[in-house]
Amino acid sequence: MYKKLSRFAARHVGKRYLELGKQRGVVSFSFDDVPASACQLGVEVLDRYQAKGTFYVCGGLTNGIEQSQACHSVQDLQYLSANGHEIGCHTFSHTNCANASLAALKIDWQRNRDFFSQHQLPQTGFAFPFGAYDLPSKIAAARLFPYSRITGGGTQIGRADLHALRAQALYAQSTDADTILELMQQTATEGGWLIFYSHEVSSNPGPWGTTPEQLESALRIAKQLGCEVLPVAQAIDFFKS
Ligand SMILES: [Zn+2]
């Protein structure tokens, strides 16, 4: 019961609104955990559209294996950063922020910050692992990061909570083409902000990954509808300008 109340409170308290409603909609593409395939095949597809993405990194996964797939290397991250992509924090240990103690969470965030500094990677915003947060972790993240991204699905119209930015899964196995098109049309028409998130980019992805075809199709539609395609931090600057 406490958790439920806390989740309810987290959604409705501690907000800092970003006004949307520009003439153009914005679409952002983000990749959580950053499998090596997102840095390679994913970036290859983004490059075809002169688009930059946002990559949420856990230093604890660097050079590791996750879901039987290779994760990014430090060199991958440095390449992304040097080529205009955004690198954000995803905790060091892929921590569930709704379950961890605040003390443990702060240590984990600091560990990831140290990892970024050690490798000269500029850190921007934060994405909650599993999209899991509660009120204390939302407030603590708001003190450390300019923005926090959750999951939740759908697009954002009118305004967005900078400390709980909503994002839509881009998963080949479960996100159908009609959903993508409808969300994109709504975003373009109403000057909203649609943030996609995925993991690996592969011709044979698991349940939490996308294919190059699905990613390319989303990019093509975004451009056809006249949307800006921007990393999350740059999208915030766009809406503030
Ligand atoms: Zn994750």
Side-chain angles (χ1 to χ4, degrees):
M1 189 61 191
Y2 168 76
K3 277 285 170 203
K4 274 192 181 157
L5 274 176
S6 181
R7 173 58 70 91
F8 178 84
R11 200 174 299 142
H12 298 281
V13 179
K15 292 187 169 194
R16 188 154 65 90
Y17 284 119
L18 174 69
E19 297 299 324
L20 309 179
K22 288 266 185 185
Q23 293 298 312
R24 303 179 74 176
V26 176
V27 180
S28 301
F29 290 87
S30 60
F31 301 88
D32 292 5
D33 309 0
V34 195
S37 66
C39 306
Q40 292 149 18
L41 196 46
V43 166
E44 217 178 283
V45 177
L46 290 169
D47 279 347
R48 279 180 224 151
Y49 291 81
Q50 288 85 47
K52 305 296 179 188
T54 302
F55 296 78
Y56 293 106
V57 174
C58 299
L61 290 174
T62 302
N63 295 321
I65 301 283
E66 193 197 28
Q67 308 284 338
S68 59
Q69 296 184 64
C71 285
H72 58 273
S73 63
V74 168
Q75 289 74 19
D76 286 329
L77 300 180
Q78 287 171 337
Y79 175 87
L80 292 174
S81 182
N83 284 277
H85 299 279
E86 178 188 1
I87 314 278
C89 176
H90 199 44
T91 73
F92 186 84
S93 309
H94 208 267
T95 303
N96 182 321
C97 299
N99 293 342
S101 75
L102 217 44
L105 188 51
K106 284 178 179 170
I107 291 168
D108 203 55
W109 274 327
Q110 185 58 46
R111 212 173 156 198
N112 216 40
R113 187 172 289 272
D114 293 344
F115 170 84
F116 274 59
S117 309
Q118 187 192 340
H119 299 294
Q120 290 89 45
L121 294 165
Q123 175 178 280
T124 60
F126 176 61
F128 284 98
F130 315 104
Y133 66 105
D134 56 7
L135 187 55
S137 58
K138 182 184 178 185
I139 290 172
R143 294 206 179 102
L144 285 178
F145 303 98
Y147 73 82
S148 300
R149 202 218 69 203
I150 56 170
T151 52
T155 185
Q156 303 174 105
I157 303 295
R159 60 187 187 176
D161 180 3
L162 277 172
H163 299 315
L165 293 172
R166 179 176 286 271
Q168 164 68 41
L170 186 67
Y171 291 167
Q173 292 182 22
S174 57
T175 316
D176 62 79
D178 289 346
T179 303
I180 295 173
L181 183 61
E182 278 164 29
L183 288 173
M184 213 94 87
Q185 283 170 332
Q186 194 190 359
T187 302
T189 310
E190 303 190 43
W193 185 14
L194 175 58
I195 304 172
F196 284 113
Y197 70 94
S198 198
H199 295 82
E200 75 270 26
V201 182
S202 156
S203 54
N204 185 25
W208 302 286
T210 186
T211 58
E213 291 76 20
Q214 187 185 41
L215 177 59
E216 175 142 23
S217 162
L219 278 156
R220 190 170 52 241
I221 296 167
K223 294 279 182 176
Q224 280 169 351
L225 291 173
C227 292
E228 296 276 350
V229 177
L230 296 171
V232 174
Q234 281 184 32
I236 293 170
D237 292 342
F238 172 82
F239 285 114
K240 280 182 174 170
S241 66

